[in-house]
Amino acid sequence: MQLLSSRIILQPPKCPPFPSLKTNNSFSQNPSSSSSSYSSFSSSHTLSANPPPNRKKFILKCRGSEYFEKQRFTKPSEETFTPQSLGALPPRVFVGHSIYKGKAALTVEPKSPEFVPLDSGAFKLSKEGFVLLQFAPAVGVRQYDWNRKQVFSLSVTEIGTLMGLGPRDSCEFFHDPFKGKSEEGKVRKVLKAEPLPDGSGHFFNLNVQNKLLNVDENIYIPITKAELTVLISAFNFIMPYLLGWHTFVNSIKPSDTSRVNNTNTNSRSGADLEWSR
């Protein structure tokens, strides 16, 4: 028996020529063609690059690539950071009030309190804020040697003492920065506020004895009633912030008011029970 073999060769169909750019937006199918899938296009006019005068031009320009290329090749030093770009981090602001006199200059600056996080996610005040006094002796007319400045930190209680000074009242504060440490007694700071003889204000006198640096400095500056009034007004404003109470106020939410109602009576604190009477 003889086996017949055959070879089938598959050839891809020939594609019709690409339609000409000349068209009248219609096409006709050649019925005599062996394949009904091929069509021939006829044209009566040539497409123009310019639209008809009665149609408006719509231009779409994409600048996305320019934006990403700019972001890609921008140097870190050229980036601009705003408070919004830093998220929850507010900008740091330094403020102060200065008094200049012939013998010395005094600068008053508030310092913020410190907080520590708790396991519950809340925060607790760890250190109250204070007011920093900086005394600089004069070395000429309106010239002061800030390299020789001496500082004194006023606590909230000491600030309250200054705020309560009468025209004839005086007060004295003593600080030892190394109290309770091995260097205790080697640095001694005494700040006195005494009334002026004519009753026009107070003398602020700071004496610093530092045996570690072999320094014995005595700086005094007169503060008028008006200048003391300005300081007291600033102290009144800043006091709640030094105590950290502003953070508590900012953390209060309307939902917190239902806390007492949802708490078991047996677990309430004495303050809650007293307030609910």
Side-chain angles (χ1 to χ4, degrees):
M1 182 176 180
Q2 185 176 4
L3 297 177
L4 297 178
S5 63
S6 62
R7 178 182 297 178
I8 300 176
I9 301 176
L10 298 177
Q11 296 182 351
K14 295 182 179 181
C15 297
F18 192 81
S20 173
L21 291 179
K22 299 180 179 181
T23 178
N24 61 353
N25 296 332
S26 65
F27 66 92
S28 61
Q29 186 174 351
N30 187 0
S32 62
S33 174
S34 59
S35 175
S36 61
S37 62
Y38 300 142
S39 303
S40 62
F41 288 76
S42 62
S43 172
S44 61
H45 64 274
T46 303
L47 287 177
S48 175
N50 297 324
N54 58 344
R55 295 185 182 181
K56 296 181 179 180
K57 294 182 180 180
F58 292 94
I59 301 176
L60 178 62
K61 187 175 182 180
C62 180
R63 302 181 63 90
S65 59
E66 298 179 9
Y67 171 78
F68 288 108
E69 289 297 321
K70 183 178 180 180
Q71 294 293 321
R72 179 180 177 184
F73 295 104
T74 300
K75 297 180 181 179
S77 59
E78 297 175 352
E79 295 179 356
T80 301
F81 295 97
T82 62
Q84 291 77 10
S85 65
L86 295 178
L89 293 178
R92 298 193 65 182
V93 178
F94 300 95
V95 297
H97 178 66
S98 299
I99 300 174
Y100 301 97
K101 295 296 176 69
K103 297 291 185 180
L106 170 63
T107 297
V108 182
E109 298 179 1
K111 299 299 181 180
S112 60
E114 298 178 5
F115 299 85
V116 293
L118 303 178
D119 296 337
S120 62
F123 289 85
K124 181 180 180 181
L125 180 71
S126 61
K127 183 181 179 181
E128 294 179 345
F130 58 93
V131 169
L132 182 66
L133 305 181
Q134 301 184 67
F135 295 80
V139 293
V141 179
R142 296 185 178 274
Q143 296 181 356
Y144 305 91
D145 189 356
W146 292 101
N147 293 323
R148 292 172 51 198
K149 71 177 181 180
Q150 299 296 333
V151 299
F152 194 92
S153 301
L154 289 174
S155 66
V156 291
T157 304
E158 293 168 340
I159 295 173
T161 302
L162 288 178
M163 293 171 60
L165 280 180
R168 297 295 178 181
D169 295 336
S170 61
C171 61
E172 179 178 326
F173 308 119
F174 169 78
H175 284 185
D176 184 349
F178 298 101
K179 186 176 182 179
K181 300 179 181 179
S182 58
E183 295 87 357
E184 182 176 354
K186 295 183 179 180
V187 178
R188 184 176 182 272
K189 296 184 179 182
V190 178
L191 176 63
K192 294 181 180 181
E194 299 176 333
L196 293 172
D198 57 359
S200 60
H202 285 75
F203 261 123
F204 277 47
N205 185 7
L206 176 62
N207 178 261
V208 177
Q209 296 179 356
N210 190 332
K211 297 180 180 179
L212 299 176
L213 301 176
N214 194 22
V215 172
D216 189 354
E217 191 81 60
N218 189 55
I219 305 175
Y220 66 91
I221 180 174
I223 305 296
T224 65
K225 285 183 178 181
E227 292 165 342
L228 186 58
T229 301
V230 172
L231 292 180
I232 291 176
S233 178
F235 293 160
N236 272 308
F237 175 81
I238 201 65
M239 182 64 74
Y241 295 88
L242 299 180
L243 295 172
W245 286 26
H246 65 293
T247 57
F248 169 75
V249 174
N250 294 336
S251 67
I252 295 178
K253 301 178 181 178
S255 58
D256 294 341
T257 57
S258 62
R259 178 180 58 85
V260 177
N261 297 330
N262 297 331
T263 305
N264 191 314
T265 305
N266 296 329
S267 62
R268 292 183 183 178
S269 64
D272 291 337
L273 293 173
E274 182 177 352
W275 180 254
S276 61
R277 289 179 183 176

